[in-house]
Amino acid sequence: MKFFKKLITLILVVVIFICYSPSLVERAYQYLDHNSEEQVVKQNIEKNKIEGKSVDNFSKIQIGDSEETLINSVGEPARVDKSGYSFDWYVYNQYGQKFCMVGIEDNKVVAMYSNSINSVEFPKLKLGEQRHIARNIYSPLKYLPKGYTNYTIASKDQYDVIEVDGKYITVFYDIYEGDIICSYQIVEKEVEDKTPIYHAESDVLRKSYELEIMDLTNSVRMKRGLKSLQYSEKATLSSRRHCEDMRDKNYFDHVDRDGRGPADRMKEEGIVYYLAGENIAAGQFSAIYAHEGWMDSEGHRKNILGDYKYIGVGTVFGGSYSMYYGQNFYR
């Protein structure tokens, strides 16, 4: 007999802090050497063109394809991340607004994600189509089975999960742009079924989530003609430490138990800014779900698409909500 549990309601809070410094003097920031990275990326893109590889070929990749087929068609990923599943994410973040990830397990494609490239895996739907069209074609699942438990899918119309030909497809909607399909995640059913709702704690997975949230943030910015944000180690530490504090002291708020807000915490890390903001979230199953939830919340969305220059992302496991996520922005 199966039991029924309701998924934890997503919790999202936002606040924006603005401060103007008389001198507007900015300290030197620790961030990734983007110039050298961009040079390597450009060389790889040119190499792929010569070899006939393209990120656009992601649209032809199918669950069950070999890793070799993926590399020969799309090219080498910019990064390989650990996922909360049994596979690794091959992250293609080097093509500006065209962003995608492919899950590889035992040299085989078992998962896919994109917010900018359509997939042959569900040809009846395209990015940009409205939610009612998707629901006319596919019937969303009400429960997601995990072992002997069926978990209620309480998505608040922000996403649907559908089962198609041995795959679970999560279709995410943008409620601020006419309820259109803005992204999707595809996971082989066998892989999804054996994976717990919340993933085991891991420093490697934590770092993967942080990098993926940064990638997702920059991809949606570039799709809208905005500049990508640069990585800030100080903002990352500020965000991560606040997530740890919320977990350890069992609260969820921008203001910590000592009365410090985001502005105070950023200053403690040595950040000098004249515009700053913070997003926090708790209870989401992965970096993808946290990001998509923020984009369907007006205040969080404004921060993600805001007039900032730097970003830091922190995530931690455990506590009352199992997962905590944070973003600090500033310029």
Side-chain angles (χ1 to χ4, degrees):
M1 177 180 180
K2 288 185 177 288
F3 297 93
F4 296 88
K5 292 185 179 179
K6 188 170 184 178
L7 297 180
I8 292 175
T9 301
L10 307 187
I11 296 181
L12 302 165
V13 182
V14 66
V15 68
I16 298 176
F17 293 86
I18 300 176
C19 177
Y20 292 94
S21 168
S23 61
L24 296 182
V25 176
E26 295 187 354
R27 298 180 184 179
Y29 301 100
Q30 294 179 321
Y31 57 87
L32 299 177
D33 186 353
H34 290 281
N35 290 332
S36 61
E37 283 189 352
E38 288 175 3
Q39 185 61 34
V40 172
V41 166
K42 289 179 180 177
Q43 291 174 355
N44 287 339
I45 291 175
E46 289 303 315
K47 181 174 180 289
N48 285 341
K49 286 181 179 179
I50 294 173
E51 296 176 351
K53 301 173 183 178
S54 170
V55 70
D56 292 326
N57 291 332
F58 170 85
S59 64
K60 304 173 185 176
I61 297 298
Q62 294 179 277
I63 300 296
D65 283 349
S66 66
E67 178 190 21
E68 182 180 13
T69 297
L70 171 68
I71 301 302
N72 288 340
S73 179
V74 181
E76 294 287 345
R79 190 178 72 245
V80 176
D81 284 353
K82 178 178 175 60
S83 80
Y85 294 89
S86 52
F87 58 78
D88 290 329
W89 279 122
Y90 282 35
V91 181
Y92 293 86
N93 67 358
Q94 64 267 54
Y95 297 99
Q97 59 181 275
K98 293 183 178 181
F99 176 77
C100 60
M101 301 194 296
V102 181
I104 298 292
E105 181 178 9
D106 295 332
N107 300 315
K108 186 183 76 169
V109 174
V110 296
M112 304 166 67
Y113 170 88
S114 183
N115 58 13
S116 47
I117 307 171
N118 289 309
S119 174
V120 70
E121 283 289 0
F122 58 118
K124 295 179 181 179
L125 288 177
K126 306 292 182 185
L127 291 166
E129 291 185 331
Q130 292 184 308
R131 182 174 56 215
H132 70 87
I133 295 176
R135 289 180 174 176
N136 284 339
I137 298 174
Y138 298 105
S139 297
L141 297 177
K142 294 182 179 180
Y143 307 102
L144 189 64
K146 293 287 184 180
Y148 293 102
T149 302
N150 275 349
Y151 287 87
T152 301
I153 299 172
S155 70
K156 298 182 179 179
D157 286 333
Q158 295 179 3
Y159 64 88
D160 286 328
V161 181
I162 58 178
E163 184 177 351
V164 181
D165 298 330
K167 302 176 288 288
Y168 288 118
I169 302 176
T170 305
V171 183
F172 295 96
Y173 304 109
D174 190 326
I175 66 173
Y176 292 100
E177 293 187 4
D179 296 323
I180 62 170
I181 300 173
C182 60
S183 65
Y184 59 88
Q185 175 182 268
I186 306 171
V187 180
E188 187 177 71
K189 186 177 185 300
E190 288 184 11
V191 173
E192 183 67 67
D193 287 346
K194 69 181 181 182
T195 305
I197 286 289
Y198 291 107
H199 307 138
E201 181 174 358
S202 159
D203 285 340
V204 176
L205 181 57
R206 172 189 56 75
K207 188 61 178 177
S208 293
Y209 281 172
E210 292 173 356
L211 291 172
E212 287 162 16
I213 287 176
M214 182 173 170
D215 285 339
L216 290 162
T217 296
N218 279 333
S219 69
V220 296
R221 287 177 64 88
M222 286 186 281
K223 282 174 66 176
R224 291 161 174 81
L226 302 173
K227 291 183 179 180
S228 61
L229 301 176
Q230 297 179 31
Y231 171 78
S232 167
E233 180 69 14
K234 292 181 179 180
T236 293
L237 290 175
S238 176
S239 184
R240 189 183 298 153
R241 285 169 179 165
H242 183 53
C243 287
E244 290 172 348
D245 194 60
M246 289 191 292
R247 175 197 63 190
D248 296 343
K249 297 180 181 178
N250 194 28
Y251 71 97
F252 184 80
D253 203 321
H254 289 287
V255 179
D256 64 26
R257 294 306 194 203
D258 296 320
R260 299 174 304 174
D264 303 309
R265 294 189 293 272
M266 288 191 206
K267 287 177 182 177
E268 288 177 1
E269 297 297 338
I271 294 173
V272 178
Y273 64 86
Y274 69 89
L275 177 68
E278 178 178 82
N279 288 346
I280 58 175
Q284 289 79 2
F285 318 127
S286 70
I288 291 172
Y289 278 88
H291 167 78
E292 299 295 350
W294 278 329
M295 285 298 289
D296 272 343
S297 172
E298 186 175 7
H300 298 83
R301 183 189 186 94
K302 285 181 178 178
N303 266 344
I304 289 172
L305 304 178
D307 187 22
Y308 299 112
K309 188 174 182 181
Y310 300 100
I311 183 175
V313 180
T315 64
V316 298
F317 293 80
S320 299
Y321 296 103
S322 298
M323 281 297 308
Y324 295 80
Y325 305 84
Q327 291 178 304
N328 281 165
F329 308 87
Y330 70 94
R331 65 174 297 119

